[in-house]
Amino acid sequence: MIKKIMLLLVAVLSSTLLYSQKSVNNYAYVIVPTKFEFLKTADEYQLNSLSKFLFEKYGFTVYMDNEVPEELLQNPCNGLKADVIDHSGLFTSKLVVTLTDCMGTIVFESKEGKSKDKKYKVAYNEAVREAFEDVEALSYVYDGSAAEVATVPVVETAPEVKTTAVVAVVPEEKTAPNKELVNSEANSWIAKTKDGLNYTVYNNGNTIVMELLYTAIPDVYLIKGKDALLYKNDKGIWLISENDGAQMKTTGVMYLTFQ
């Protein structure tokens, strides 16, 4: 199981090095969250359902984040996370549509869709439809690029491990922990989220230690700004794994409380 996770995640960590000019056409899927951050409840004003409908209308294959297919779980960099950002002012509702890749990089950002209607449901509907005019203008056609980058064999056979070349899994118990990143079980740090996907980790002094980025793989996060990741092993322990350029090494244990 650990080998499978590590192979998948090396694909995530290395994919940004294989192509720098990104286009929405490189990605096979769009994932729409069930709840946008600026709204109070899931699919409030039917805005999430409308966004899914509009992406599908303009040619994308779309899933809600609670129905992600197995193929995308195995190849998270083959999809884009959709979001609607609220830029509203006092008298005008303003919404922007974004598409973000598996490394947290914004690949697409629309113009501001605007509405001056006083009713939120009407205003948000009008604003998001105007913002989606830029999505329509993309004339999206999937070209398979991200799949070529992200796909990594997941069958745990010796030949596949040898041909992967980017990773050699080091047994956890034989690696020395990175003291700067290790806390104690009695001194658990807090991971807080605003969007339910990405987390900011705080130590007991309320100082930011790191930011964790969503990967679409359960219990696996990229560590922002580092060629590293945080994942939960089969025993329920959070481990930090870093890429030293030749292999992924488990460098420490992280005790976290998620909020």
Side-chain angles (χ1 to χ4, degrees), residues 189-193 199-202 212 256-259:
W189 291 342
I190 305 296
K192 298 180 180 180
T193 183
Y199 288 83
T200 301
V201 177
Y202 297 86
L212 305 177
L256 285 176
T257 300
F258 284 80
Q259 294 183 350

Side-chain angles (χ1 to χ4, degrees), residues 193-240:
T193 183
K194 290 184 179 180
D195 58 10
L197 297 175
N198 304 300
Y199 288 83
T200 301
V201 177
Y202 297 86
N203 63 19
N204 286 359
N206 205 34
T207 299
I208 295 176
V209 177
M210 65 178 65
E211 294 190 28
L212 305 177
L213 303 179
Y214 172 77
T215 66
I217 303 174
D219 296 327
V220 176
Y221 297 92
L222 297 174
I223 298 175
K224 185 176 181 179
K226 292 181 175 290
D227 198 2
L229 54 92
L230 179 75
Y231 70 97
K232 185 188 290 186
N233 69 7
D234 294 335
K235 298 179 181 179
I237 298 172
W238 289 99
L239 300 172
I240 299 162

